[in-house]
Every structure is written in structure tokens, then in C-alpha cells.
Amino acid sequence: MKYLVVFFLLLGFQMNSQSSKVQKLNDNAINVYRENSEKAIELLEEALSKSNSKIDYELTNNNFGIVYRFLNDFEKAKKFSLKSLQTKDLKILSSAYNNIGACNRSLGLYEESIKFYLKALSIYEKNSNEKEYGTVCNNIGMVYTSMELYERAKEYNLKAIQKFDKIKYLKGISESYNNYAIASANQDSLDLALNYFNKSLKIEESLNDKKGISESLNNVGGIYYYKGDLDKALESFLKVIDVEKEIKNYGGVASTYNNIAQVFLDFKESSQAIKYIDSAYFYATKYKVSEDLLTSLNNYIAYNESIEDYKKASKYYKEYIKVNDSILNRNNLNVLHETEVKYQTEKKEREILVQKAKIAEKNTIIISVISLLLLSVLLGYFLYSKQKMKTLQLIKERELQDALLKIETQNKLQEQRLQISRDLHDNIGSQLTFIISSIDNLKFALGNQNPKVDEKLTKISSFTRETIVELRDTIWAMNKEEITVEDLETRISNFIENAKISLTGTQFNFISNLNSTDLKPFSSRDGMNIYRIIQESVNNAIKHGNASKIEVSIQEVNKRILVEITDNGSGFNIQEVEKGNGLNSIQKRASELNGNLEMISNHQGTTVSLDLKKQLL
């Protein structure tokens, strides 16, 4: 008995010692991943191989997620952190929630991002983790800014500022000031934004954080540019260049030279712009910064058009297309090569497993025969049975490999959908935003000289903003293979909230009693069709019916789903009215849903009813 006790004591000591080594490897990985991510991954792989306890696995997997998020591999990062969600360790759990929220934010899955951020926030609040609480509040603020819900964003930025101020965490205060300023700038509160950007700059200067100083100066310069103060904007941008050169961030140097060039181009000072375009092109080419190389080529096009040298403008346009195609081809070839190598490797592994299974089965027969002859029928049967189980296990492993390959292929398709949606957001979205900015600048330059032109420009700007909203809705649907009841309700609620903000004289009401536990998720097409029918009906009530009260309801009635949009507008004669794109679109979408559509309209208002079959789980 005494020896047994000693054995368990030694075993416990060894396990604690092993767990301590795993913890140390994890700590070292987190300390170095920003400077040497490859070293961090090596440390985490060693930690995973030495993990004996559940908590060791959970800690290491979540830290893998943190490192891969830093490397911008957001899908892989999510997979690792999701493995840690069953942990009972609140520190690991809250960190995993926060990391998944950050990954979703980068992937444009804003509703999912907020859901996980709020879970992390709840844990940090219960445990009085002031710094972590403030950090997550700041992150939520950035998500709301991306969703253009700027008041909500500023609300969370202020919460972060209060927490950081309480613990005197200056870097956190600076970042919160910066994010508050960004939200304010998007609301056209430029003086307020400039005040908060300057507060952030003062803190970064007191911390002597060169990177932070550069970012704050760049933001200050941007505000002066939008305020039309060219001299102060240039002064800030030139300081940014000095700092970026000091910290050897030559990609930042190229970007800032492009910013200065664009300022001069916008203010019709082409002779000043060209030397900065040349500098941007030099640094972008030398240090292979593809994004800034494209921007500098675009600036060359704008410069030559401004001096009416269309031959050179055409030359730079051709070079822009060539460089852009080269970048896209290089990225696509890398993805295809990685996919092909992965497929061939997995195929070879499956072939080896099958071959091993066949060899093992042959050996079993020989061993079984020899055993039957030498030992006994019983011993031979025992060996044969054992090997048969081994063969079945190898076959199951092969089946598992096939299943994993199928899942990997599906994930690859989803990643490609996400890539397309990101390209739409980054390219088309940014171009539409540029159009709005250009129209606003044109309106500012024209003043009130020609009211008809001003009215026409306002209509174009409004149409472009509506196009951006439509584009974001499309990207939202593309990012999801299926749309849950919660997703649909959240999207409709956000649409109604934005309508309330835009139309203060109109009363909106949204009612839903759907039980998400009883319903299957909608396909992305069906969910989008329901959302578009509601959106189009509300827009018709506002634009054509002049309604002062609009109600949207989604109800479960007799095992059916009934969607109704009711308004108190002027109505229309359904038999006489010419069906435009709006009504045709509603009827087409209802047909795709296999639903029954009914429209009732008179001088007291309009009701659009969509009757759908309930999809039970």
C-alpha cells in the first residue's frame, strides 16, 4: 500500500511538472508572436504535443487562434478558438470569445462579431477585469462604426475611455479617443473628431509610441483635408513621413506620399502633386507594396488627365491594369497551388492507408495459420480477430480522411465566397464611397450657383448611398450558407432602426413572435427574398404612399409563417396601377419562396401579406 501511495504522488508530480512546461511554452509563444510568428507556432506545436490535461489543450488551441488571427488567417483562427469554448477556465473562455469576435469583425460578419464580444464582455465584467473590459468595449465600438451605427459606436467608445481612465491605461485611452473621433468624422462632426484625434496624438507623444504618433498625425491630416485647410493637412502628412522613415515603415511612407499627392490633385495644384506621386511610386516599387503601387499609378492617371496629357494617362491606365492583373493572378495561383498540394498529399495518405490495410490483412492470415499450427485453434482465432479489428480501424480512418477532405473542400468554397464578398466590399464599396466623396466635394466647390445641378448631384449622391446599402445586404447574404431566424430578425430590426433615424416624422413598429428553436434556418436565397420583400414594401410606403405609420410583423399562424407590412398611406388602385420594377420584384421573390402573396390597398392604406409554409426542425 505504501508503494502505491508513493507511485500516485510521483505521477501527480510528473503531471503538474508537464502542465507547467506547457504553460511556459504558451507564455513564450504569446510573448514573441508579434515579432516572430513562425517561432510562436513552433512553441505552440510543442506545447500541444506535451499536453496531457484538457485545460492544456484548451489554452494551447486558443493561443493558436490568437497567432493565426495576427497572420490574417481568420477562418483558421476561429477553428482553433472554437475548440476552447467547452473550457471551465473563465480566462481562456473570455479570451476565446474575444478572439472569435475579432475574427468575425475582420470577415465582415458584424452581428456574429458583436454576439461573441458581448459574451466576453459579460465575463470580464463579472471578474472586474477593467483593462480587458475596456478593450472589448472599444472593439464593439469599431464594429458598430463598420455597421454605420455611429451613436452606438461612440457609446461603447466612451465606456472604454471610462474604464481605461480608471486604471490609468494611457494606450487604451488613446485608442478609444481615436475610434470615437472616427465615428464622429463619419457623422460630419469634423471639429469634434479633430479634438479627439489631437487628444490621442498627445498621449502617443507622451508614450513615445512612434507607430501611434504616425497613425494619429495621419488622422489629424485627414480631418484638416476634409475641412479644406490644405496647409495644415500637408504639415501633418509631412510629419507622418518623418516618423515612418524613422521606424523604417516604408510601406507607410509610400501611402502618405500618395495621400499628399491626392490632396494637391483635389485642390487643382497638379505641379505640386507630381513630385509626391513620383516618391510614392519609388517607395511602393522598391519595397513591393502592391496596394500603394496601384494607388500611385491611379494618381499618375489623374495627374495626366488634369494637364490634358491623355496619351500618358492611357499609358498609366494600361500599366495599372497590368499590375492589378498580375497581383490577382499571383494570389490565385498561390491558392490553387496550395489546394492542389493539399489534395495530392491527402490522396497519397489514403492510398498508403489502403496499402497498409492490405499488407496487414495478408500478414494476419500468415500469422494466423502459423499460430493455428503451433499454438492452438484458440490462440490463432484470437490473433485473427485482433488483426481484423485493426483492419476495420484502418478502414474507418480512411473513411474519416475522406470525410475530412469533403469538409475541407466545402470550407474552401466558403472561403472563396468570402473572398468574393470581401472583393465586392473593398473594391466596389470603396469606389462608390469615392463617388459620394467626389460629389460632395463638387457640390462644395459649386456652392449654390446652380440649384438644378445641386439638386441633381444630391439625387446621384442619395442613389449611390442606397446602392452601398444594397451592396452590403448582398454581401451579408453571400457570407452565409444559411440565414437563421435570429439573423433575419436582426437584419430587419437594423433596417427599421435606420429608417427611424432617417425619417423622424414616420412611426415604425416591428413585431416578431417566431420561435427559433422550432424553425430550420432559411437558405441564403430565401432569407434574402423575405428581407427584400419587406424592404421594398416599406420603401414603397415611404416614397409613394406618404405613410406616417408603418408596421412590419412576422407571426406564426396555424403552422404557417405570415409576413405583413401595413401602412396608413394614400394607397393605390391595384388593377389600374402600372406594375413597375418594385411590384414585379416583390411578386417574383414571393414566387421563388413558393409563398402566397396578397396586396390590399385603398385610400386608408396598404397591406402586403406573404404566407409561407413553416419549416420545422
Side-chain angles (χ1 to χ4, degrees):
M1 185 66 181
K2 177 175 73 175
Y3 296 112
L4 191 61
V5 172
V6 171
F7 169 75
F8 281 115
L9 286 172
L10 287 172
L11 181 62
F13 174 78
Q14 288 175 346
M15 290 180 67
N16 287 333
S17 176
Q18 190 76 352
S19 184
S20 177
K21 289 179 183 178
V22 171
Q23 179 68 51
K24 188 173 181 180
L25 287 167
N26 273 277
D27 290 343
N28 290 339
I30 293 301
N31 288 334
V32 303
Y33 79 92
R34 289 181 179 275
E35 292 78 27
N36 191 343
S37 54
E38 290 183 2
K39 178 65 176 177
I41 290 173
E42 287 177 10
L43 291 168
L44 291 173
E45 285 174 346
E46 185 181 352
L48 201 61
S49 68
K50 293 182 177 180
S51 296
N52 287 327
S53 66
K54 190 170 182 288
I55 196 169
D56 286 343
Y57 281 107
E58 292 161 348
L59 173 65
T60 307
N61 277 317
N62 186 54
N63 285 338
F64 263 123
I66 291 171
V67 174
Y68 279 112
R69 176 167 66 88
F70 176 74
L71 294 172
N72 294 329
D73 194 341
F74 303 116
E75 288 293 347
K76 196 168 186 177
K78 277 175 64 176
K79 288 178 185 176
F80 276 108
S81 288
L82 283 167
K83 293 178 182 178
S84 304
L85 293 186
Q86 301 303 317
T87 185
K88 294 182 180 179
D89 187 301
L90 292 180
K91 185 176 180 181
I92 298 173
L93 182 61
S94 54
S95 176
Y97 282 145
N98 185 59
N99 196 52
I100 295 169
C103 291
N104 284 330
R105 186 186 79 202
S106 299
L107 291 168
L109 305 174
Y110 299 132
E111 288 90 350
E112 287 293 306
S113 175
I114 289 176
K115 182 171 75 173
F116 280 97
Y117 273 144
L118 289 175
K119 289 180 179 180
L121 201 65
S122 176
I123 296 173
Y124 289 139
E125 185 174 26
K126 288 178 183 176
N127 291 281
S128 299
N129 302 121
E130 307 284 1
K131 181 178 176 181
E132 290 79 4
Y133 183 92
T135 301
V136 176
C137 282
N138 215 8
N139 292 339
I140 294 173
M142 286 191 285
V143 177
Y144 277 125
T145 296
S146 299
M147 296 172 72
E148 298 184 8
L149 298 173
Y150 302 119
E151 287 302 323
R152 295 293 300 277
K154 287 160 68 175
E155 177 186 331
Y156 276 94
N157 293 146
L158 290 174
K159 286 183 180 180
I161 291 169
Q162 291 171 355
K163 289 293 181 183
F164 291 142
D165 188 54
K166 182 178 178 181
I167 59 174
K168 308 301 180 188
Y169 179 44
L170 294 179
K171 186 65 179 178
I173 296 172
S174 173
E175 291 172 349
S176 302
Y177 281 157
N178 189 66
N179 292 332
Y180 189 90
I182 291 171
S184 299
N186 277 293
Q187 293 179 307
D188 294 328
S189 300
L190 298 182
D191 290 332
L192 181 62
L194 181 61
N195 181 36
Y196 274 90
F197 277 139
N198 277 320
K199 286 183 177 182
S200 175
L201 176 60
K202 286 181 181 178
I203 294 175
E204 297 296 343
E205 287 173 342
S206 71
L207 295 172
N208 197 29
D209 185 332
K210 299 296 184 182
K211 186 65 177 173
I213 292 170
S214 171
E215 291 173 354
S216 296
L217 280 169
N218 196 56
N219 290 332
V220 169
I223 293 297
Y224 279 128
Y225 164 67
Y226 285 116
K227 286 169 68 69
D229 194 334
L230 178 61
D231 293 335
K232 288 186 178 180
L234 287 174
E235 181 184 347
S236 297
F237 287 141
L238 289 171
K239 287 179 181 178
V240 171
I241 290 174
D242 291 338
V243 176
E244 295 289 7
K245 286 182 178 178
E246 183 180 348
I247 62 177
K248 298 182 179 179
N249 179 22
Y250 296 110
V253 173
S255 176
T256 307
Y257 274 132
N258 273 322
N259 288 342
I260 296 174
Q262 287 170 347
V263 170
F264 278 119
L265 287 171
D266 287 346
F267 280 86
K268 311 299 182 186
E269 296 189 22
S270 302
S271 60
Q272 293 289 330
I274 186 61
K275 62 182 180 181
Y276 292 104
I277 302 174
D278 290 338
S279 297
Y281 183 82
F282 169 78
Y283 279 99
T285 304
K286 182 174 180 180
Y287 295 99
K288 296 180 174 59
V289 188
S290 56
E291 183 177 347
D292 289 305
L293 176 58
L294 289 173
T295 304
S296 61
L297 288 171
N298 204 33
N299 284 337
Y300 273 129
I301 296 168
Y303 165 74
N304 284 289
E305 287 177 345
S306 71
I307 62 172
E308 299 183 357
D309 190 343
Y310 298 109
K311 186 175 181 180
K312 274 192 176 180
S314 176
K315 170 194 165 187
Y316 281 113
Y317 178 75
K318 290 177 181 177
E319 187 175 351
Y320 177 93
I321 297 298
K322 181 180 177 182
V323 172
N324 190 45
D325 288 346
S326 174
I327 293 168
L328 290 174
N329 288 336
R330 186 165 62 247
N331 291 338
N332 290 338
L333 284 173
N334 288 338
V335 171
L336 288 172
H337 177 70
E338 289 172 7
T339 305
E340 178 65 19
V341 169
K342 196 166 189 179
Y343 171 76
Q344 293 297 340
T345 302
E346 290 173 349
K347 182 179 178 182
K348 196 69 177 176
E349 287 175 353
R350 290 199 309 275
E351 290 174 354
I352 291 170
L353 282 171
V354 172
Q355 192 65 28
K356 282 183 177 180
K358 291 178 180 179
I359 293 170
E361 191 171 2
K362 289 178 181 178
N363 290 338
T364 300
I365 296 170
I366 295 170
I367 292 170
S368 297
V369 170
I370 294 171
S371 299
L372 283 168
L373 293 172
L374 298 176
L375 299 174
S376 67
V377 174
L378 183 62
L379 183 59
Y381 178 76
F382 170 76
L383 290 173
Y384 176 76
S385 299
K386 182 178 179 181
Q387 193 57 45
K388 189 174 181 181
M389 289 176 63
K390 193 173 182 180
T391 302
L392 288 172
Q393 184 180 357
L394 287 170
I395 293 171
K396 287 187 179 296
E397 287 179 5
R398 185 187 66 185
E399 291 173 350
L400 179 61
Q401 288 283 350
D402 289 337
L404 289 173
L405 178 61
K406 184 177 179 181
I407 292 169
E408 191 68 25
T409 303
Q410 290 173 344
N411 288 340
K412 203 67 186 178
L413 288 172
Q414 180 64 13
E415 287 174 10
Q416 289 175 350
R417 291 175 65 191
L418 290 172
Q419 180 64 43
I420 292 169
S421 68
R422 284 197 293 271
D423 287 345
L424 283 173
H425 180 274
D426 295 342
N427 295 332
I428 307 301
S430 62
Q431 289 173 12
L432 290 172
T433 303
F434 175 75
I435 290 171
I436 293 172
S437 176
S438 299
I439 291 171
D440 290 343
N441 288 336
L442 185 58
K443 287 171 64 180
F444 175 79
L446 292 173
N448 294 320
Q449 296 176 10
N450 193 328
K452 290 185 177 179
V453 172
D454 188 65
E455 181 184 355
K456 191 68 175 177
L457 290 174
T458 300
K459 288 181 178 179
I460 295 171
S461 179
S462 298
F463 176 78
T464 308
R465 293 178 193 277
E466 291 174 3
T467 303
I468 290 176
V469 173
E470 296 289 332
L471 178 63
R472 286 187 180 134
D473 289 338
T474 303
I475 291 172
W476 168 71
M478 284 185 66
N479 281 342
K480 297 174 179 288
E481 290 185 3
E482 56 186 25
I483 298 175
T484 65
V485 172
E486 293 94 333
D487 289 338
L488 183 61
E489 289 177 336
T490 300
R491 201 70 184 179
I492 295 169
S493 179
N494 286 342
F495 169 66
I496 296 298
E497 287 299 317
N498 287 330
K500 285 181 180 178
I501 294 170
S502 301
L503 301 166
T504 54
T506 303
Q507 180 182 347
F508 292 89
N509 192 24
F510 174 49
I511 302 169
S512 174
N513 73 342
L514 297 185
N515 188 347
S516 60
T517 58
D518 293 339
L519 293 169
K520 288 182 180 178
F522 298 101
S523 68
S524 59
R525 188 193 73 166
D526 289 349
M528 196 60 181
N529 278 338
I530 295 171
Y531 175 72
R532 290 295 193 202
I533 288 172
I534 293 171
Q535 187 184 48
E536 185 66 36
S537 299
V538 171
N539 286 337
N540 285 341
I542 295 169
K543 292 179 181 178
H544 307 301
N546 298 318
S548 62
K549 183 177 180 182
I550 301 172
E551 181 173 286
V552 177
S553 71
I554 307 178
Q555 309 284 337
E556 289 185 36
V557 181
N558 297 328
K559 297 184 178 181
R560 308 279 294 178
I561 297 175
L562 182 62
V563 181
E564 281 194 350
I565 306 93
T566 307
D567 68 73
N568 65 346
S570 57
F572 61 92
N573 190 318
I574 296 173
Q575 302 300 323
E576 295 178 3
V577 71
E578 182 180 349
K579 292 183 180 178
N581 289 333
L583 292 180
N584 280 331
S585 174
I586 290 173
Q587 290 180 335
K588 183 179 179 182
R589 292 181 186 279
S591 176
E592 289 177 357
L593 289 164
N594 293 322
N596 297 321
L597 180 70
E598 183 180 7
M599 296 185 187
I600 300 173
S601 185
N602 52 45
H603 66 279
Q604 294 179 342
T606 301
T607 298
V608 178
S609 300
L610 176 65
D611 189 359
L612 300 170
K613 182 179 179 182
K614 182 177 177 183
Q615 303 179 85
L616 296 174
L617 288 174

